[in-house]
Amino acid sequence: MSVGVRPAPPRLRPLAVYGAVTAFAMIGLQQALYGPAIPQLRAEHGITAAGAAAALSVHFAGAILGVLAMPLARRFGVPDGRFMSWSLVGVAVGCLAFPLAPGWPLALLAAFVAGVGFGGLDGGVNQIFTEVYAEGGHGMLNLLHGCFGVGAVAGPIAIGLLPGYGWSFVGCALLALLAVPALRTASGARSAPTTAAGTPPAPLAARRRLGSLGGMVSLGFLLFFMLHVGLETGAAGWETTHLIATGLSESTAATATSGFWLAFTASRFAVVPLCRHYSARAIVIACTGLTVLAATATLLDGLAPIAYALLGVAVGPLFPTGLAWLAQHRPALTPTVVALSMVGGIALPPAIGLAVNGFGPAAIAWAMIILAVAGLGTVIGLARVRRTGLPVAAPAVEADAPQI
């Protein structure tokens, strides 16, 4: 049985690409604002550090809801561009209301609303890009996610330079509103699988085998993204603690953590030209192997700061390039993957914290190694399943948007 896809007409215009890039830089900025704002939030609302950190948890809870809303909106016939516009407005409303809220419960509600918009954009833009650039488009996905990293780096800087955290959230809201006209033109390629005419159906045993392999691939990708995002957030969240334990000062350790994010962002842009010559699968395998090497090097106190920067280089391209690889096999799984990756980012760093409580800061390096090795094993398993003959989804469209 040969499986094809009915091609949809090109739908992603250059204006939509620019809107998506702006929106991703904006949500990177938005996510990065909560942490640096904690001291001012505590002083303004009279809350504990844990209470202030609840803003980020509420943000991600809303984000998961926003991610899962994309496929639901499509079922009801809502155009992609309209859904993206609503998501941008949600971000703008939440970001404007957050600093203006008279009490902490209302501020958390505003963070939740902004999070729903964040998730709608994160899941929606990723879904559209993986559909339009399903074949050989991992350069575009890395460019998109590199812009997210630029926003994330700019967030703490904005908090430090502007007079009060509220102005940073207002700037985020303005960026969201400015992106509405451009992103409103965005639309993915919703193609339905069809059996080629004149091709006899495959034997029942073959269909069952393909179904079993397809299930293995889906579970493998879900596990890979959860492990990868757990490694990313775990390294970023616990690097400073680990480096202080090796003898570095707090300021030096914090600077090294900034280096992780800079390396993380730079690697996404650096890998774009490589996408012309190497498949998404090859880049994911290479970067995942590099995470094992870098994570192992964090065991050496003298090399730990460099090892974490190398880990940032290795981790950076994994999410966008992994989405491109996923689109070749299970494009409809994108919203689920994005949502579950957020769960991994929420659950795994606290698990590392429990290990630190029990075994000390040395457990951080071992946690990085375990996550990296598990990720590499998952990727190797996915590659082996692919070699057994699982069909690859045909590219859905030839888009008229800029190509990398």
Side-chain angles (χ1 to χ4, degrees), residues 287-360:
C287 288
T288 309
L290 185 59
T291 65
V292 176
L293 176 64
T296 303
T298 63
L299 289 171
L300 304 175
D301 291 355
L303 291 179
I306 298 174
Y308 274 108
L310 182 62
L311 188 59
V313 170
V315 167
L318 284 178
F319 194 89
T321 313
L323 285 179
W325 190 18
L326 171 68
Q328 297 170 16
H329 300 282
R330 289 289 182 272
L333 201 63
T334 299
T336 306
V337 159
V338 175
L340 284 182
S341 70
M342 293 180 181
V343 174
I346 294 171
L348 290 176
I352 296 173
L354 293 176
V356 172
N357 290 338
F359 303 99

Side-chain angles (χ1 to χ4, degrees), residues 60-272:
F60 275 114
I64 292 172
L65 182 62
V67 169
L68 298 178
M70 173 71 168
L72 184 63
R74 282 184 163 186
R75 287 181 189 174
F76 283 99
V78 177
D80 293 342
R82 186 180 302 172
F83 179 82
M84 296 292 101
S85 299
W86 290 348
S87 298
L88 285 164
V89 171
V91 171
V93 170
C95 286
L96 287 173
F98 184 73
L100 297 175
W104 187 234
L106 289 177
L108 289 178
L109 178 61
F112 179 82
V113 172
V116 173
F118 173 101
L121 291 168
D122 192 11
V125 174
N126 275 313
Q127 179 74 57
I128 291 170
F129 267 57
T130 54
E131 289 172 350
V132 175
Y133 302 107
E135 190 69 21
H138 40 299
M140 288 297 293
L141 280 160
N142 275 284
L143 177 65
L144 178 72
H145 284 261
C147 292
F148 179 96
V150 169
V153 171
I157 297 174
I159 290 285
L161 294 179
L162 294 175
Y165 74 93
W167 290 105
S168 300
F169 283 92
V170 170
C172 190
L174 291 176
L175 282 175
L177 294 175
L178 287 174
V180 168
L183 202 52
R184 189 175 177 81
T185 65
S187 183
R190 291 174 257 187
S191 304
T194 59
T195 303
T199 303
L204 179 61
R207 294 201 301 270
R208 286 178 175 173
R209 176 174 174 273
L210 287 177
S212 176
L213 289 176
M216 291 173 60
V217 166
S218 297
L219 289 175
F221 273 112
L222 290 173
L223 180 59
F224 163 70
F225 279 98
M226 287 185 67
L227 290 169
H228 149 59
V229 174
L231 177 62
E232 172 192 324
T233 56
W238 288 101
E239 177 183 354
T240 301
T241 301
H242 182 200
L243 293 181
I244 290 173
T246 67
L248 296 182
S249 66
E250 291 186 11
S251 60
T252 303
T255 300
T257 303
S258 298
F260 169 88
W261 283 117
L262 288 171
F264 173 92
T265 301
S267 67
R268 288 181 166 179
F269 289 112
V271 82
V272 170

